[in-house]
Structure formats: structure tokens, C-alpha cells
Amino acid sequence: MRHYETLFIINPEITDEETDALVEKYTGILTERGAYIGVVDKWGRRRLAYQVHKFNKGYYVLFDFGASPEAVAEMERNFKIDENVIRFLTVKQGEDYDVEAAQAAQAAKAAKRAQAEEAENRPPSDDDEFHGDDDDDDDDDDGDMPDDRD
């Protein structure tokens, strides 16, 4: 199983549900052929560097996965005939895809995301409050300009 990364751009005019269904379709094509999907990263709608098929924007999706060359060829064949995929690029990252390392990295990322969500959702404590100026300067500068007029 080789390590691949595919970035594809979807028609920005389709609905979010259709976009999710399209991403699910392509992950299904890969998994049916024995691929392991490590990361599905939806970047969202972004401006294109240049106009493609009369579109100035596109919905970007990144797959990081391990698969056989045949599975990648089938996914790309489907990209070519799908009118909602306006561009795609697949890059071979390496000869071997370490599934255990990918699962560990995905678990660590999920734990980090859960920790961040927990910190965001917890109520503020007394330690989180701002208690004035913590500036340790001993000067008496109160921000006023010196008055040199006598």
C-alpha cells in the first residue's frame, strides 16, 4: 500500500449536502478497493488562483490515504467524468503507508481537538479573570507628556 495525497476542487455552486455526498462517494471508491483513509480535510470554499471552467471559487478537499495504484486510478477516472469536480491532483508521498502511525496521528489529533473544545466550553474560573495591570515597571509614567512650560 502506497502513501498518496489528493487535493480536489469541487464546483462551489452545489449545496453543502451535495458536497458532503461527493466526498463520501470518493472515500467509498477508495475504501471499496482496500484503501485506508487517513485524513479527509475539507478546506471549504476558496478563491481560485485563476478561472477554471468559468469558476472563480471552488470547494477544496484534501485526502491523505494509503492505497494501491489501481484504487487511485479508479478514483481519478471518476474525477474525470464527474462534472462537479473541476480540478484534482494526486501526489505519491511514499512507497509505504504505515497504517498504525496514521491511526496514532489521527487519535492524537482527535484528542487535541477534544481538549481544545473542552477548554473552549468550560466556564471561566477566577484564575481566568483579568486583575488589572500586571506591569512590573516602577516608573511613574502615567502617559502624560511632561510639562516643560514655566
Side-chain angles (χ1 to χ4, degrees):
M1 187 178 303
R2 293 180 181 161
H3 184 190
Y4 292 97
E5 196 172 79
T6 297
L7 179 68
F8 60 102
I9 306 171
I10 301 172
N11 176 350
E13 296 174 352
I14 65 174
T15 65
D16 290 339
E17 293 81 21
E18 292 172 321
T19 301
D20 291 340
L22 203 60
V23 170
E24 191 64 34
K25 172 186 172 183
Y26 290 111
T27 57
I29 287 172
L30 290 171
T31 55
E32 286 173 2
R33 287 158 182 77
Y36 175 79
I37 308 293
V39 176
V40 175
D41 196 5
K42 298 176 184 175
W43 293 359
R45 285 178 179 78
R46 295 175 177 233
R47 185 166 180 77
L48 298 172
Y50 53 90
Q51 192 173 24
V52 179
H53 300 292
K54 299 184 181 177
F55 293 111
N56 291 324
K57 292 184 179 181
Y59 191 95
Y60 286 69
V61 180
L62 176 73
F63 287 171
D64 186 73
F65 59 98
S68 65
E70 294 80 23
V72 175
E74 179 62 20
M75 180 184 62
E76 289 184 341
R77 185 186 73 78
N78 281 279
F79 280 155
K80 290 175 186 176
I81 61 176
D82 192 337
E83 62 189 30
N84 287 318
V85 176
I86 58 177
R87 278 282 194 269
F88 68 91
L89 177 67
T90 301
V91 178
K92 183 173 80 170
Q93 298 291 324
E95 288 296 324
D96 294 322
Y97 187 75
D98 189 2
V99 175
E100 291 83 21
Q103 289 172 337
Q106 195 171 19
K109 186 176 180 180
K112 189 175 183 180
R113 185 180 307 123
Q115 185 180 20
E117 287 176 5
E118 179 183 314
E120 184 177 297
N121 293 332
R122 72 177 166 87
S125 66
D126 290 339
D127 295 337
D128 293 340
E129 292 182 23
F130 182 70
H131 296 288
D133 188 17
D134 290 338
D135 192 13
D136 291 334
D137 292 340
D138 290 333
D139 60 348
D140 292 332
D141 184 21
D142 58 356
D144 292 337
M145 296 296 294
D147 191 14
D148 291 335
R149 291 181 266 157
D150 287 293

